[in-house]
Amino acid sequence: MNLYLRYFDSETLVKSVDEAIDFLASISEIGMNPVLEADIRDYAASDVYYPKRYKIRPRVYFIIIKTEASTMQDFKEKKALRSGPDAQAKERVASPVVQKLNIEQEGWYEGTIDFKRVLMVPGTGKFQYRDAHFVAQVKAMSGLDCYNRIVDHLRQRVDERSQFPSAKGKNFSFRYLGKAK
């Protein structure tokens, strides 16, 4: 496992923790100390693959990223992305929400959407976002088609600055009512 380190324009890809500590010690602003060194060693030895960021002073950090890239070029081109059994399983299996949205079953659907609607405040003439709840029964081919029809309908009737949630999020739900006659 290699480590990528970056502090502003200074960056490196090292093969050991000792090389990483030497790199950080060469930057005077970081102020390498035994506590920081021990924390970096713990991070490198752990099973955590998330990038780690260390605060130097307010709004100034350096980062460390574990990678399997052997060269800086590979790291920059993202050729050595971590691909364990968990990552492969996630690629193959779509989330249940997406699967449910894409099931094609022609008929009537009841869709519920919570969105941010832009409304004018009468006293001031200024605009503000307000939470809006909308329920409609539509004839559609799938849950995603139901979402698209509802959003198309609303876009024609509300201010164009209104914000609509994703069909995959918690602010949209639907249920199948039955066959279309």
Side-chain angles (χ1 to χ4, degrees):
M1 182 63 53
N2 296 328
L3 298 170
Y4 169 79
L5 294 96
R6 185 177 76 215
Y7 179 72
F8 289 105
D9 291 338
S10 302
E11 63 182 358
T12 188
L13 185 71
V14 297
K15 298 188 183 326
S16 71
V17 179
D18 293 327
E19 290 178 43
I21 291 170
D22 290 342
F23 170 76
L24 294 171
S26 71
I27 302 171
S28 61
E29 295 176 23
I30 291 179
M32 182 56 75
N33 59 46
V35 174
L36 182 59
E37 181 178 339
D39 194 50
I40 292 169
R41 288 186 188 280
D42 289 343
Y43 170 72
S46 71
D47 292 336
V48 175
Y49 281 90
Y50 295 107
K52 180 119 180 172
R53 145 177 117 153
Y54 291 90
K55 188 173 189 176
I56 304 302
R57 58 181 185 272
R59 297 187 302 269
V60 176
Y61 301 88
F62 74 86
I63 63 166
I64 300 177
I65 301 172
K66 289 183 181 180
T67 182
E68 296 189 12
S70 57
T71 65
M72 186 66 82
Q73 180 81 17
D74 288 347
F75 179 78
K76 295 286 183 170
E77 293 176 0
K78 299 180 182 175
K79 287 184 179 175
L81 293 176
R82 185 167 174 261
S83 59
D86 295 338
Q88 292 171 354
K90 287 179 183 176
E91 288 176 11
R92 281 182 277 154
V93 179
S95 71
V97 174
V98 173
Q99 289 177 343
K100 190 176 174 187
L101 272 171
N102 292 326
I103 294 173
E104 289 202 11
Q105 188 173 14
E106 185 178 2
W108 287 96
Y109 289 82
E110 181 177 79
T112 304
I113 189 168
D114 295 321
F115 66 102
K116 299 285 186 187
R117 183 175 184 178
V118 174
L119 294 172
M120 185 175 72
V121 178
T124 63
K126 294 183 179 181
F127 293 89
Q128 69 179 189
Y129 286 101
R130 295 258 174 100
D131 291 332
H133 181 79
F134 185 79
V135 180
Q137 293 180 353
V138 296
K139 190 176 180 181
M141 290 297 294
S142 66
L144 187 58
D145 188 32
C146 171
Y147 170 82
N148 290 333
R149 288 175 187 252
I150 290 173
V151 170
D152 288 344
H153 173 81
L154 289 171
R155 284 191 197 278
Q156 295 172 6
R157 289 165 178 77
V158 297
D159 191 294
E160 62 191 31
R161 294 171 289 184
S162 297
Q163 298 174 352
F164 298 100
S166 167
K168 301 172 197 169
K170 65 180 181 180
N171 291 324
F172 172 71
S173 61
F174 69 94
R175 66 185 177 107
Y176 179 69
L177 298 175
K179 291 274 186 201
K181 295 183 180 180

